[in-house]
Amino acid sequence: MDERFDAIIVGGGLSGLAAAYTLAEAGQEVLLLERGDYSGAKNITGGRMYIRPIKDMFPDLWEKAPFERGVAHEEVCVMSGSGSLLVRYSGEEAPYQSYSVMRAKFDKYFAKQAERKGVSIVTKTRVDDLVWADGKVAGVIVGDDELRADVVIACDGVMSLIAEKAGLRKPGNPKHYAVGFKEIIELDQELLEARFNLKDDQGVARLFVGDVTKGKFGGGFLYTNKSSISLGMVMGISDLMNEEPMIPAPEMLELFKKRPEVSALIEEGQIVEYSAHVIPEGGYRHLSNLCGNGILVCGDAAGFSINSGMTVRGMEYAMGSGYYAAQAVLKAKELKDFYCTGLSVYEKLLNDSFIMKDFKTFQDVPEAMDNKRLFTYYPELAINMMQKLYDIPDGPKDRIIPTVKGMLGFREIWTIVTKDLRRMMKL
Ligand SMILES: Cc1cc2nc3c(=O)[nH]c(=O)nc-3n(C[C@H](O)[C@H](O)[C@H](O)COP(=O)(O)OP(=O)(O)OC[C@H]3O[C@@H](n4cnc5c(N)ncnc54)[C@H](O)[C@@H]3O)c2cc1C
């Protein structure tokens, strides 16, 4: 540990591994420090990984990657207090654009590949502080040890202590964070495939909106793995803590699991894992500073996660930002400048990439989603409409359009809908 490194990477999740892998591939001496027992031990996702934007960055990573199932079916389940509406879209074919993953397996595999490229990975090691010299970050402090490098890359996740110590990030406002909590429920593979109508390696991603969050910001998710289900919820921390009804997160999950739409899917299943984690959801306006003298910030540490209402995406941003941070370090090395002047090419690379383009495109989403009616009024309206359409009364039944008109024909409804549509145009 007395050695000096080209780069020290703090955190062995996807962003850290991506940066380490890319730098080692380019012949750099890289040390990656991870506080967990192994990469994947402390890493949580829903989760599905979208691979198209990052496929070419890691060309030899995918063939043997431990994916669970290709997401062939997208489903949305809209829930009211008493009913639900399920929509299933099927049309995706192999090679799929996204795959369900379990981080304990995927990150472990990725770490092995990074080690093969030459990365030194030290686990069970927490970085406590930064070393400063000549007006720049010059390494990290681990217990009583000082480890030196030209550059440090902060990949230590959503509560990044390292970015904070470097003065690149302030402690966050709960409004800009969500909490995700989930279980992995093991199920006999044949039973799972029959239950979700799946062939071979096909999988399903199901989003739940409406009563699942009791009117609060968020939703539920279900992903099928090979022989298990990832089932959980993502909820705005501020709403969860401050809005009625005050129900603790674990109880929310229990209520969700008791819904008939969910309980039938997990029947005979065995819970094998429970986890919870914070998610950055502030979007473009609440990203951290990305670059300081001798330091770069990647992945969740920078705030690179988007909840678009339809999807939570963070994994490909983590891997992509790690890749671009590595490219920036290589460029800074050419320039022999590890101050912000040399490293700021990272921002340019991100700006030109899918990452910042997505963050700019979706920058108004957090505000547009901050609307209670999306989680209460509209799901109720959709379910009531279905109930009316399918209802056969004692007497004669009205035609379809007058039935719909009867539900939507009030001026107050259109005032609300028009106002919300204006906000929703930003989605
Ligand atoms: C419930 C939930 C559902 C999600 N669903 C999806 C999804 O379906 N699709 C998707 O793309 N994204 C999803 N996300 C987001 C995605 O999982 C994250 O964006 C992604 O994991 C971020 O990766 P990362 O490497 O930046 O951070 P992390 O995976 O959090 O890695 C940070 C690492 O740093 C280590 N560390 C922290 N501090 C230190 C320290 N001081 N010293 C050493 N090591 C340290 C930690 O142990 C950890 O291993 C979800 C997130 C959650 C919580």
Side-chain angles (χ1 to χ4, degrees):
M1 283 238 185
D2 287 340
E3 223 176 316
R4 188 190 164 80
F5 297 90
D6 292 313
I8 292 177
I9 291 159
V10 185
L14 293 178
S15 55
L17 289 166
Y21 177 101
T22 310
L23 280 168
E25 194 164 50
Q28 303 297 292
E29 283 284 318
V30 185
L31 174 67
L32 184 148
L33 301 167
E34 163 58 41
R35 68 178 173 171
D37 289 355
Y38 56 89
S39 277
K42 288 190 176 287
N43 310 84
I44 296 166
T45 195
R48 59 139 62 151
M49 183 185 284
Y50 290 90
I51 62 167
R52 275 191 196 149
I54 50 170
K55 204 169 67 255
D56 296 340
M57 296 175 184
F58 316 96
D60 49 355
L61 190 67
W62 309 112
E63 205 186 326
K64 295 194 175 140
F67 289 133
E68 295 293 316
R69 289 176 180 273
V71 178
H73 308 284
E74 302 277 359
E75 299 181 346
V76 180
C77 181
V78 181
M79 285 176 166
S80 72
S82 56
S84 62
L85 166 67
L86 179 66
V87 179
R88 177 168 170 130
Y89 156 68
S90 303
E92 291 289 329
E93 283 178 8
Y96 299 102
Q97 62 164 337
S98 70
Y99 292 83
S100 54
V101 287
M102 292 209 256
R103 295 287 296 274
K105 283 192 206 166
F106 188 89
D107 291 25
K108 209 186 233 177
Y109 162 81
F110 197 2
K112 258 254 131 58
Q113 307 310 309
E115 279 179 326
R116 285 208 179 121
K117 300 271 176 201
V119 178
S120 305
I121 298 183
V122 182
T123 56
K124 300 181 194 167
T125 302
R126 194 189 69 211
V127 173
D128 299 315
D129 212 337
L130 293 167
V131 176
W132 293 84
D134 304 321
K136 72 180 271 297
V137 172
V140 297
I141 297 177
V142 175
D144 295 331
D145 293 325
E146 269 192 23
L147 305 165
R148 300 264 172 166
D150 291 334
V151 63
V152 169
I153 309 184
C155 301
D156 51 335
V158 57
M159 293 299 167
S160 181
L161 174 83
I162 299 304
E164 223 172 293
K165 295 250 180 202
L168 299 176
R169 166 185 187 274
K170 293 198 187 86
N173 174 342
K175 221 153 168 76
H176 305 139
Y177 294 87
V179 61
F181 33 101
K182 77 174 234 198
E183 288 179 355
I184 295 183
I185 300 169
E186 245 171 32
L187 208 59
D188 171 76
Q189 186 168 336
E190 270 181 36
L191 182 62
L192 179 143
E193 288 171 357
R195 217 167 251 184
F196 290 91
N197 196 13
L198 302 175
K199 278 198 209 115
D200 310 321
D201 62 346
Q202 286 185 343
V204 69
R206 185 178 297 185
L207 175 78
F208 298 84
V209 285
D211 188 65
V212 54
T213 54
K214 306 289 170 222
K216 302 184 189 204
F217 176 92
F221 60 82
L222 180 154
Y223 297 101
T224 51
N225 303 313
K226 274 201 176 82
S227 56
S228 66
I229 288 171
S230 294
L231 180 76
M233 299 175 69
V234 172
M235 292 185 69
I237 289 185
S238 182
D239 266 24
L240 188 64
M241 287 189 329
N242 304 321
E243 300 283 327
E244 293 292 341
M246 304 294 269
I247 305 174
E251 215 174 292
M252 276 282 187
L253 190 56
E254 286 311 310
L255 291 173
F256 178 42
K257 284 165 61 186
K258 281 193 185 126
R259 287 282 307 216
E261 300 86 347
V262 178
S263 60
L265 299 174
I266 57 175
E267 210 171 43
E268 295 175 48
Q270 199 70 31
I271 302 165
V272 290
E273 196 181 300
Y274 179 88
S275 53
H277 206 271
V278 174
I279 308 172
E281 292 202 341
Y284 181 67
R285 296 192 186 96
H286 298 280
L287 293 175
S288 77
N289 290 322
L290 300 168
C291 175
N293 293 327
I295 185 163
L296 295 174
V297 190
C298 301
D300 273 11
F304 284 136
S305 173
I306 295 179
N307 182 349
S308 71
M310 301 285 285
T311 52
V312 174
R313 293 173 60 192
M315 287 192 279
E316 76 268 33
Y317 297 131
M319 290 175 75
S321 58
Y323 171 84
Y324 287 120
Q327 298 298 338
V329 171
L330 296 174
K331 191 76 198 157
K333 188 156 192 172
E334 266 173 46
L335 300 170
K336 296 193 177 56
D337 178 2
F338 293 103
Y339 287 81
C340 210
T341 39
L343 287 171
S344 62
V345 66
Y346 177 48
E347 290 170 347
K348 177 164 174 16
L349 289 168
L350 286 173
N351 279 331
D352 292 343
S353 76
F354 74 101
I355 299 177
M356 249 2 158
K357 286 181 182 160
D358 278 1
F359 272 78
K360 285 178 188 160
T361 302
F362 294 107
Q363 63 183 305
D364 293 318
V365 167
E367 270 169 45
M369 299 272 295
D370 189 12
N371 178 357
K372 286 246 165 308
R373 283 188 288 275
L374 294 178
F375 309 100
T376 51
Y377 176 75
Y378 293 109
E380 289 281 346
L381 188 67
I383 306 300
N384 289 344
M385 182 109 61
M386 294 310 282
Q387 194 268 326
K388 282 262 178 331
L389 286 173
Y390 282 96
D391 185 48
I392 303 294
D394 297 346
K397 182 165 170 62
D398 207 348
R399 286 184 296 128
I400 293 173
I401 296 300
T403 306
V404 174
K405 266 185 158 172
M407 296 199 67
L408 295 178
F410 301 104
R411 185 185 288 250
E412 309 87 79
I413 291 186
W414 284 107
T415 315
I416 295 170
V417 171
T418 313
K419 195 170 134 205
D420 286 346
L421 273 177
R422 236 179 272 130
R423 289 173 76 174
M424 303 285 279
M425 295 301 277
K426 294 174 177 173
L427 287 181

